[in-house]
Every structure is written in structure tokens, then in C-alpha cells.
Amino acid sequence: MPRALTVQRTLVPPQERKRYAERLARRQQYYAGANCRFWAFEEQALPGAFLEFFEAPDVETLTRAHAGAPDPILDAGRVYIEVELP
């Protein structure tokens, strides 16, 4: 079964940066415990513009993890499936 991925874009004002970093740490911990991986990337040319990636071994695991997450994901229903390359 192919891996599943959800992406979320977030803009963080400078005064919220510390609180956002704490939320990222909680998300990483939560998703690791839910058998998922979590990454956050900040746009180099636009500080405060982040992409968050949530990955699981399958759609069911990712869907279950999002449903139980302490912080809701804005578009958790938009799931991407890994494409097998030739």
C-alpha cells in the first residue's frame, strides 16, 4: 500500500513565532506516536511562511492520526498518495 501525505501551509507573524515553534514540537511528538512522520519547512525568502508535511504508511493511519490530533489540520481531507515511478 502506498504512503500517504498531507500538506498544510501556515503564515506566522514574528510575534507568534515562539508559540508556533512550541506547537511544531508538540505536533512532531504526537504524530511520531501515531506512526506518522512530520516535517516543517520555512520559505527562505519569506520568513514566517511555513509548509508542514504529515506522512503515514497508508491513508488509514494518516486519517486516524489527524482525527485524534490535539491541533486540527485545516484540510485533513486532502490526502496525497505516493506515485510509483517506473
Side-chain angles (χ1 to χ4, degrees):
M1 185 166 258
R3 293 183 294 176
L5 178 79
T6 302
V7 180
Q8 177 167 275
R9 189 182 301 189
T10 304
L11 293 174
V12 179
Q15 66 272 21
E16 294 293 319
R17 191 172 185 90
K18 182 179 179 198
R19 201 166 78 173
Y20 178 70
E22 292 166 356
R23 186 171 57 195
L24 290 179
R26 283 192 312 269
R27 281 188 176 167
Q28 184 177 43
Q29 189 174 33
Y30 167 79
Y31 280 95
N35 194 31
C36 298
R37 296 187 66 187
F38 172 78
W39 299 274
F41 291 81
E42 183 174 20
E43 186 173 340
Q44 180 182 1
L46 185 59
F50 291 87
L51 285 176
E52 299 176 26
F53 297 90
F54 307 82
E55 181 197 11
D58 54 66
V59 174
E60 293 78 19
T61 301
L62 186 58
T63 301
R64 205 170 32 252
H66 284 329
D71 297 319
I73 305 307
L74 296 178
D75 199 1
R78 188 176 296 227
V79 176
Y80 296 86
I81 303 300
E82 183 179 22
V83 176
E84 282 193 42
L85 304 175

